[in-house]
Amino acid sequence: MTLRHGTLEIGCPVPRVDAAAKVTGEEKYAIDHTPENMLWAGVRRAGVPHGRLRTVHVEEARALPGVLCVLTASDVPGTNRQGIVHKDQPVLAVDRVRHCGDPVALVLAEDRETLAKALALVVPDIEPLPSVHSPEEALRPDAPAIHDSGNVLLRAVIEKGDAGGAFGECDAVVEETFEVPFQEHAFLETQNGIAHREADGKLVMTVSTQAPFRDRFEIAHALGLDPFSIRIISPYLGGGFGGKDGATVQCLLALAAMHAGGRPVRMTWEREESFIAGYKRHAVKMHYRVGAKRDGTLHALECDLYYDTGAYAHLGAEVMELGMEHAGGPYRIPNVRVKGWCVYTNNPIAGAMRGFGVCQTAFAVESVMDMLAAKLNLDPLEFRRKNALRRGDENCAGVTMVHSTGIGACLETLSRHPFWLERRDWKRAAPPFKRRGVGLAAVFNAMGYGRGLPDSAIARLELTLDGRIRIYCGVSDMGQGNSAAFVQIAGEILCQDASRLELILPDTDRTHPSGSSSAGRTTYTFGNALVQACNALKEKLFHRAALVLMLDEEKGLALLPGRVRHLPSGREASFELLARMLPEADRASVGQFIMPVAHDVPDTGKEFAIGFPHVFFAYAAHLARVEVDELTGRIEVTEYLAVTDGGKVINPQGFEQQVHGSVAQGLGYALTEQLLLDRGAILNAGFADYILPTALDVPEIISVAAETFEHTGPFGMKGIGEVGTNGPLPAVANAVNDALGRRLTRSPLTASRILRAMEEGPAQPVT
Amino acid sequence: MTLRHGTLEIGCPVPRVDAAAKVTGEEKYAIDHTPENMLWAGVRRAGVPHGRLRTVHVEEARALPGVLCVLTASDVPGTNRQGIVHKDQPVLAVDRVRHCGDPVALVLAEDRETLAKALALVVPDIEPLPSVHSPEEALRPDAPAIHDSGNVLLRAVIEKGDAGGAFGECDAVVEETFEVPFQEHAFLETQNGIAHREADGKLVMTVSTQAPFRDRFEIAHALGLDPFSIRIISPYLGGGFGGKDGATVQCLLALAAMHAGGRPVRMTWEREESFIAGYKRHAVKMHYRVGAKRDGTLHALECDLYYDTGAYAHLGAEVMELGMEHAGGPYRIPNVRVKGWCVYTNNPIAGAMRGFGVCQTAFAVESVMDMLAAKLNLDPLEFRRKNALRRGDENCAGVTMVHSTGIGACLETLSRHPFWLERRDWKRAAPPFKRRGVGLAAVFNAMGYGRGLPDSAIARLELTLDGRIRIYCGVSDMGQGNSAAFVQIAGEILCQDASRLELILPDTDRTHPSGSSSAGRTTYTFGNALVQACNALKEKLFHRAALVLMLDEEKGLALLPGRVRHLPSGREASFELLARMLPEADRASVGQFIMPVAHDVPDTGKEFAIGFPHVFFAYAAHLARVEVDELTGRIEVTEYLAVTDGGKVINPQGFEQQVHGSVAQGLGYALTEQLLLDRGAILNAGFADYILPTALDVPEIISVAAETFEHTGPFGMKGIGEVGTNGPLPAVANAVNDALGRRLTRSPLTASRILRAMEEGPAQPVT
């Protein structure tokens, strides 16, 4: 509503263009599409964690009136394999099931009720096999092999300097083991989509997906189709967080559409199915050893990381890779050795999730930083400032920091905040039976795909005959607000208000390939392409306006809302006029951009196929104030401060929303969220017992931007979609330690663990 | 001290490079220079506001032991005229005195005590003339003429649309007269300097000045010297605020040095002399009439402005010009007629002061905006948002806004602040005998000199043999922190920490002409030149490093602290090595920049010689919470919120300091500061009765940046030195009206005026 008052300007907290349509319910997510004559597709899942699939009894289901067909692996025409990098996951299980959620048959029915009945009538005949449910078990020599290649998806090392030898030169060393569980994405809109096949064989799908362009190739590969015969349309997502990066319903839905005789088919995973079959944040066990000199200079780091990737790869190797790249925190440590094992188990599939492997190591490294500071009797903030990466330093992965490196700026800003300055008074004012603590975390998160996988986007603009500008956007918006940022960028450069701009959401037939909405790269990469497209269109409009206005040169021309004005004379050419004068093919502009990569590829991490190393990072310094109830063990995070370096901020409101969302998700991860598993089966596959923080549980989160300037970014910005999730767990754990003198090394930090910690001696960390 | 931890990055709140030296007292201001064998120079002033100077009796003073010489107008070798644009002010009065501070004789003595005695012995013989002390008096046909040209320095009109006719189309019209007094700059370091003449005739001066390069020409013109025989050195200033822009001690001190036989001479104006002879903020009387449509759309504005410029021009015409250019506020008003009279009187000389003519009109226009909103029964914030300038609009001076236009962003940001959202609850919670009010002001201030006076700067960098980078800075730092910003800009682009950077403060023999430190242009203009110089030096270093490192191409080179690194190979060339390889003349780079100007010069304001119109503006939305004591009339500003659009912020700490300083100065202007004059004589020429707000009087000022992006600025920044002073008076006046239902139209808003307002009826504005 406020938009009518102002042009779109970079830096202005203009309300998101999608806000009104979303709050009124007008906006249509994939799940809101219910075409007439629609069929329902669904999947029967294995229900056992590991076994030989002898056969699937489908006869009874097929016979049910209203059932169109029941398909099994033999009906899959292509490779029957999906996976973003490692294609190890069958669309429908062939002769083996590797986790409870493995799909064994696909049913196509006239309606939802019939579908449910039919699915219940499908009976897989599975011979159980011994299953493994932790990396330790899976790595035993006698462990059953989950895949033919064995149970290790990736074993890798990052090494620089001489970590082993360097510990001898340290004045203080701390060592600890940390453990974090699986986390659920818990988006509001579960995995779903609709699809139909057109008369000419074209497959048209509207899916809740983070990567519409890649989806075409996933489906084509799995089902033996021509990728260009597939059209993917991606409306706004009701959340994604990484869980909709890669195939969820896509291949199954496409297979169903191929058997629907041209009728539209819907597949929607219910919440329980979303829990069972969806991707998770990896459970990880981490052993850390870190040493410093007497003056607080970090000197050596060693850690061993065990990522439980579940039954299939998804992006497991890449997730661990990023965790390893960030394992040393945003610090300058000359001697580093990080070993990682990414291991298959018969647990649910782990994959991409906001914070992408880094959330886990951030807990460990930021806990040991506090332990080390305490051992050296140093202030934890000063200790971090002293070791914080500066431009020109080498990070723990051996890459020289030549781009904006704002962890110093974040810590400096945090150090001036009353929550830090007044921490002692605040703690002293704890009410009876409460203990108060203040904890810090310094975190970072890479932006983009990294080397070996070009991080590219292509933006297209079109001047319409009615004088508006249409932005063809190739990257999905899963709620993070990138679409609104794109409108703001175009508005800024072209000097147009929202009423003159139109955004076309991703559609493989209309927009251009621009990669996935992920990796903190969406606004950066597509934004850069868009800046180029805007400048190209501006140039074109100026050139044509000069002709129309009979000007000898273009000097003095300016873009104004809906028109080009020659400022010295005051003469104007309307966009409508210019559009009519331009041939249709010339009423457009295209900009393309590939993210720069590191020029110094370290002599380490050779096991990484793609995506290592990174050169761009967002940074954050977080502070949590907690109050622990001595009687119940309950932790209340009373206030939370997040200082974030995302370069120049495009929209302060959008920035704050990203920070609030990621911190809330991180607090869930810190305090309550965990998948409870019993031999691979999820015990809490619903929101009644998988505990998400509600609005009432989330404290006041104060977001402060430490705005560095990233020279390569659009207007100097960097992506901050991920970094905020990495701080809450370590910040809260450090605050709890500050309150109780007890360090929890296993998350989430539940009341029962707190009570146990208070009962035990202070010397022993609580696991 | 924190600098050791971090590189200098744009956006990081790094402590100012000058902070430590200033707080420890190590830094030497002009006033701290006391060379051996130093003489003292001083001036005898007229003491009467207007008169014919028959003669000056200097014999007794000359005879005093320790007196070197006593000089009068006949000893001035040049034109004996100074003035930045209009050279109407004598260095020493010839046959006329026009205000009490006019200098009639210059004394040079061995020490300060002798100087004081000698000055007392100088007796000017003045025949009093009738004097005038307000524009009204001065404009009367029978008023005595202060200058041969009459009493009008400038009469000018800005007109667009048809203001006269447009009022007939308005649904609501308000009309009011406002009055503001003279304000003192009140810098800590009074006007001063030292000078000596070298054997070759060169005049070397260290002066507290905002415009060292211009000073040479001022002195040369007045004293008949070659400007290039004068060297001006400008250390950090202990405040300036416009009062050290243009000659203060310069010509007098140079004249003294010419008679000192090569010995150094000091001239320091004591506080009282600083009051009497220094420049002031103009007293102004303003008549406003403004009209709007029923829906709140502003439609017509007429105003008549009378600026009292005192005895001489200084920048009086230009000050009024800027006031007129801003007279309509940051709003879209189609029909405007602004008339201005800048009038000589026998009052102290008015000239440049932070807010430069705009402070005054901001009071009037923001008061009438509230009056009009009230008349239309509209919310004052919504009314402002509705009419706020957007890019693409024409401002009241007829210029199309094509650069960053952040008043919308400021108002949007303010609208979300608790001070605004919770205003009603806050007001209701007023303690007994107190009334609370919340007031707004939307203000703006042009950046740069405007058309006709190139706003230029030249930056030079040098790579020293010890591998450091020296920044030759041509613009003074009067305390606003531009020097620190320059170090930060160079640190960012060249990736160096403060220890590797050295700043050379302005010195006409070492640095390059870069204009004055004024007009919100200092960091913008010099910063842009510096960005160019940094990029040129970077290119040079890369080129040489490629040779040294035997590289086929420059790709993969990066600047790191003290060295260039080839990232792919890890090989490095130190700055020391590169410096030794470069011939001396090639170890430098130069960047130069001229600020862009408006392409659309409106067909109005033809009376303005230079400096009209402007295209760049900083914007701010201010909110004051006031508590008025019903018994004493005292206003307490309890909290203050300033939302400022200065484009991208280079250093958040520096930004906040500028906002705090300007708001504090604006609050002094609002509440207590005013020169009390009795026929041109200042009654309160000292800080005992000219009441400045102390640290205890200034409320908590919350500064929020609304960071738009100015494409032409260094890193997207704009200057904010001035805009903050324009808000407090109208914001507080509007808050008082909100509290009491009484509008004060005359400032400062003293307790006695408040009491009178409460006694009188609500209908009548209080003057």
Side-chain angles (χ1 to χ4, degrees), chain B residues 526-558:
Chain B
F526 188 83
N528 267 324
L530 182 59
V531 167
Q532 291 186 21
C534 289
N535 287 330
L537 185 64
K538 186 173 173 177
E539 201 182 320
K540 185 175 299 210
L541 291 170
F542 278 4
H543 184 85
R544 296 304 173 119
L547 296 182
V548 174
L549 298 173
M550 306 278 279
L551 301 171
D552 294 325
E553 54 173 16
E554 292 173 21
K555 207 178 145 188
L557 286 177

Side-chain angles (χ1 to χ4, degrees), chain A residues 2 9 385 405 648 707, chain B residues 2 9 385 405 648 707:
Chain A
T2 317
E9 277 195 76
R385 283 166 77 161
T405 307
K648 166 82 183 98
E707 297 196 40
Chain B
T2 317
E9 277 195 76
R385 283 165 80 161
T405 307
K648 166 85 183 97
E707 297 196 40

Side-chain angles (χ1 to χ4, degrees), chain A residues 158-220:
Chain A
I158 290 177
E159 192 153 24
K160 69 163 198 166
D162 170 22
F167 277 99
E169 300 154 11
C170 292
D171 298 308
V173 173
V174 298
E175 195 164 353
E176 192 52 71
T177 302
F178 299 88
E179 213 168 328
V180 291
F182 288 104
Q183 186 184 15
E184 179 73 6
H185 293 89
F187 24 68
L188 272 180
E189 182 195 18
T190 55
Q191 299 89 336
N192 81 95
I194 52 162
H196 72 277
R197 204 156 192 193
E198 295 188 338
D200 62 357
K202 183 142 204 169
L203 191 60
V204 181
M205 304 178 63
T206 300
V207 192
S208 192
T209 176
Q210 294 176 227
F213 286 89
R214 195 210 298 127
D215 285 349
R216 293 178 307 170
F217 291 89
E218 280 278 41
I219 296 166

Side-chain angles (χ1 to χ4, degrees), chain B residues 267-424:
Chain B
M267 177 178 279
T268 303
W269 291 0
E270 300 294 327
R271 182 60 62 189
E272 187 180 2
E273 187 174 18
S274 177
F275 263 89
I276 292 168
Y279 308 111
K280 315 292 164 216
R281 184 189 300 289
H282 287 72
V284 187
K285 192 161 183 178
M286 304 165 276
H287 184 77
Y288 264 70
R289 191 174 169 224
V290 57
K293 301 293 185 91
R294 187 161 293 115
D295 69 352
T297 307
L298 282 169
H299 192 60
L301 166 77
E302 273 186 352
C303 57
D304 297 331
L305 311 173
Y306 298 88
Y307 280 71
D308 181 347
T309 204
Y312 299 104
H314 191 252
L315 286 172
E318 293 69 32
V319 165
M320 181 179 82
E321 204 171 305
L322 210 72
M324 291 174 68
E325 194 177 350
H326 292 72
Y331 303 111
R332 197 169 47 253
I333 312 181
N335 303 289
V336 173
R337 206 264 302 129
V338 180
K339 285 190 192 159
W341 288 262
C342 190
V343 183
Y344 289 120
T345 65
N346 297 111
N347 287 331
I349 310 166
M353 185 168 178
R354 192 184 209 175
F356 205 88
V358 183
C359 250
Q360 296 95 329
T361 55
F363 174 41
V365 71
E366 283 303 287
S367 295
V368 293
M369 287 302 148
D370 257 29
M371 292 163 68
L372 199 50
K375 195 158 189 173
L376 289 161
N377 204 20
L378 294 171
D379 172 273
L381 179 57
E382 270 312 304
F383 178 64
R384 285 174 171 86
R385 283 165 80 161
K386 187 181 176 68
N387 292 290
L389 280 173
R390 303 165 304 202
R391 276 194 306 155
D393 289 338
E394 229 183 46
N395 71 8
C396 288
V399 173
T400 306
M401 302 284 91
V402 292
H403 294 282
S404 94
T405 307
I407 186 61
C410 293
L411 291 167
E412 180 73 38
T413 304
L414 185 146
S415 75
R416 299 161 188 273
H417 195 277
F419 286 173
W420 180 252
L421 296 172
E422 299 161 7
R423 63 195 182 282
R424 292 193 184 88

Side-chain angles (χ1 to χ4, degrees), chain A residues 2 5 9-11 13 385 390-391 404-405 412-413 416 491-492 567-568 599-600 648 653 707-708 711, chain B residues 2 5 9-11 13 382 385 390-391 404-405 412-413 416 491-492 567 600 648 653 707-708 711:
Chain A
T2 317
H5 289 324
E9 277 195 76
I10 294 300
R385 283 166 77 161
R390 303 165 304 202
R391 276 196 305 157
S404 93
T405 307
E412 180 74 38
T413 304
R416 298 160 190 274
E492 167 75 36
L567 294 171
H599 286 290
D600 49 341
K648 166 82 183 98
Q653 199 189 155
E707 297 196 40
T708 65
H711 293 255
Chain B
T2 317
H5 289 321
E9 277 195 76
I10 294 299
E382 270 312 304
R385 283 165 80 161
R390 303 165 304 202
R391 276 194 306 155
S404 94
T405 307
E412 180 73 38
T413 304
R416 299 161 188 273
E492 167 76 36
L567 294 171
D600 48 341
K648 166 85 183 97
Q653 199 189 156
E707 297 196 40
T708 65
H711 293 253

Side-chain angles (χ1 to χ4, degrees), chain A residues 2 4-15 332 382 385-394 400-410 412-413 416 491-497 555-561 563 565 567-569 599-601 647-650 652-653 705-711 715-716, chain B residues 2 4-15 332 382 385-394 400-410 412-413 416 491-497 555-561 563 565 567-569 599-601 647-650 652-653 705-711 715-716:
Chain A
T2 317
R4 70 198 147 90
H5 289 324
T7 43
L8 297 162
E9 277 195 76
I10 294 300
C12 180
V14 286
R332 196 168 48 251
E382 269 313 304
R385 283 166 77 161
K386 187 181 177 68
N387 292 290
L389 280 173
R390 303 165 304 202
R391 276 196 305 157
D393 289 338
E394 230 183 43
T400 305
M401 302 283 91
V402 293
H403 293 282
S404 93
T405 307
I407 186 60
C410 292
E412 180 74 38
T413 304
R416 298 160 190 274
E492 167 75 36
I493 301 177
L494 302 172
C495 193
Q496 302 302 308
D497 54 39
K555 206 178 146 188
L557 286 178
L559 283 174
L560 300 188
R563 62 206 196 275
R565 182 182 174 98
L567 294 171
S569 67
H599 286 290
D600 49 341
V601 185
K648 166 82 183 98
V649 174
I650 302 280
Q653 199 189 155
E707 297 196 40
T708 65
F709 189 91
E710 173 44 51
H711 293 255
F715 299 95
Chain B
T2 317
R4 72 198 145 91
H5 289 321
T7 44
L8 297 163
E9 277 195 76
I10 294 299
C12 180
V14 287
R332 197 169 47 253
E382 270 312 304
R385 283 165 80 161
K386 187 181 176 68
N387 292 290
L389 280 173
R390 303 165 304 202
R391 276 194 306 155
D393 289 338
E394 229 183 46
T400 306
M401 302 284 91
V402 292
H403 294 282
S404 94
T405 307
I407 186 61
C410 293
E412 180 73 38
T413 304
R416 299 161 188 273
E492 167 76 36
I493 301 176
L494 302 172
C495 192
Q496 302 302 308
D497 55 38
K555 207 178 145 188
L557 286 177
L559 284 175
L560 300 188
R563 62 205 195 276
R565 182 180 175 100
L567 294 171
S569 66
H599 286 291
D600 48 341
V601 185
K648 166 85 183 97
V649 173
I650 301 281
Q653 199 189 156
E707 297 196 40
T708 65
F709 189 90
E710 173 43 51
H711 293 253
F715 299 94

